[in-house]
Amino acid sequence: SQELEQSPQSLIVQEGKNLTINCTSSKTLYGLYWYKQKYGEGLIFLMMLQKGGEEKSHEKITAKLDEKKQQSSLHITASQPSHAGIYLCGADGSGNTGKLIFGQGTTLQVKP
Amino acid sequence: NAGVMQNPRHLVRRRGQEARLRCSPVKGHSHVYWYRQLPEEGLKFMVYLQKENIIDESGMPKERFSAEFPKEGPSILRIQQVVRGDSAAYFCASSNGGTTEAFFGQGTRLTVV
């Protein structure tokens, strides 16, 4: 079965610094989803990537899917305290159901 | 989030009682997914439903758990005879199926006492 591994598990950065979170799959990804979760709250949809080499940006967050479609990275530029939370990558392993498996999450703290 | 509504947000049940969790998908979405997030664990798939049909329930415990998504009304996740181990956050997501954008609700936090 497909597994997703996120790294690092946790991250503490100074406000204004850039950071990258990685998500690696054991199998080809048909769809890769990034979500953000604040503690005790729901998941906020960030981006979805489908095609090898695809890159999407929203405000200061950029996500990429590699050409082989087995690894994705989420990059935050000039981090702010509002970026703090848990970042989750999810993958559609089958490509036709929308059923997602998730990584364990990366907890981000941004120090003012 | 694009309008997935879950209620209640918090639910407390005594052992042996029933818990009913509701999920109204984004308007126009006909695919609903339920996930469970146990304390200190990741988000795990439970069940995938389309209107009136269960498509994939491979993540559902074999006993006490059931789900439905009727033609009219919200999707319901029902847990009978709850035990302490059922305490978790239950999330619902909706989409148009396949590899399309999937939006999550705020979750229902079930506490079994």
Side-chain angles (χ1 to χ4, degrees), chain A residues 8 17-18 21 24 29-32 39 53 56 58 60 66 70 73 80 86-88 92-93 100 102 107:
Chain A
K17 295 294 185 184
N18 303 336
I21 298 168
T24 303
L29 296 161
Y30 288 96
L32 190 288
Y39 183 75
K56 287 186 178 178
H58 176 67
K60 293 184 178 179
D66 75 339
Q70 284 194 267
S73 60
Q80 300 168 3
I86 302 168
Y87 288 82
L88 292 160
D92 180 348
L100 302 181
F102 283 90
T107 301

Side-chain angles (χ1 to χ4, degrees), chain B residues 6-59:
Chain B
Q6 289 188 249
N7 67 81
R9 290 287 305 276
H10 300 274
L11 184 61
V12 179
R13 285 287 177 266
R14 295 186 183 279
R15 280 179 295 172
Q17 290 185 319
E18 179 179 289
R20 290 171 70 87
L21 288 61
R22 293 174 184 77
C23 168
S24 295
V26 169
K27 190 175 181 181
H29 283 181
S30 58
H31 299 250
V32 164
Y33 309 81
W34 286 93
Y35 295 83
R36 178 165 66 174
Q37 190 174 42
L38 290 164
E40 307 304 322
E41 291 190 21
L43 207 55
K44 304 290 185 189
F45 167 80
M46 297 182 74
V47 62
Y48 163 34
L49 310 104
Q50 290 184 41
K51 283 288 186 181
E52 301 184 274
N53 292 304
I54 296 175
I55 307 302
D56 182 341
E57 56 181 348
S58 57

Side-chain angles (χ1 to χ4, degrees), chain A residues 49-66:
Chain A
L49 304 165
Q50 280 184 274
K51 300 175 184 175
E54 187 174 9
E55 179 176 320
K56 287 186 178 178
S57 293
H58 176 67
E59 296 180 344
K60 293 184 178 179
I61 301 176
T62 300
K64 300 178 186 179
L65 182 61
D66 75 339

Side-chain angles (χ1 to χ4, degrees), chain A residues 30-31 33 35 37 40-45 48 50 92 95-100 102 104, chain B residues 1 9 33 35 37 42-43 45 48 56 58 91 98-106 109:
Chain A
Y30 288 96
Y33 298 71
Y35 293 89
Q37 184 180 26
E41 297 183 14
L43 278 69
I44 299 168
F45 175 81
M48 182 188 79
Q50 280 184 274
D92 180 348
N96 60 9
T97 67
K99 163 187 164 183
L100 302 181
F102 283 90
Q104 287 292 89
Chain B
N1 290 328
R9 290 287 305 276
Y33 309 81
Y35 295 83
Q37 190 174 42
L43 207 55
F45 167 80
Y48 163 34
D56 182 341
S58 57
F91 290 96
T99 309
T100 59
E101 294 178 349
F103 298 98
F104 280 75
Q106 290 284 58
R109 279 149 186 85

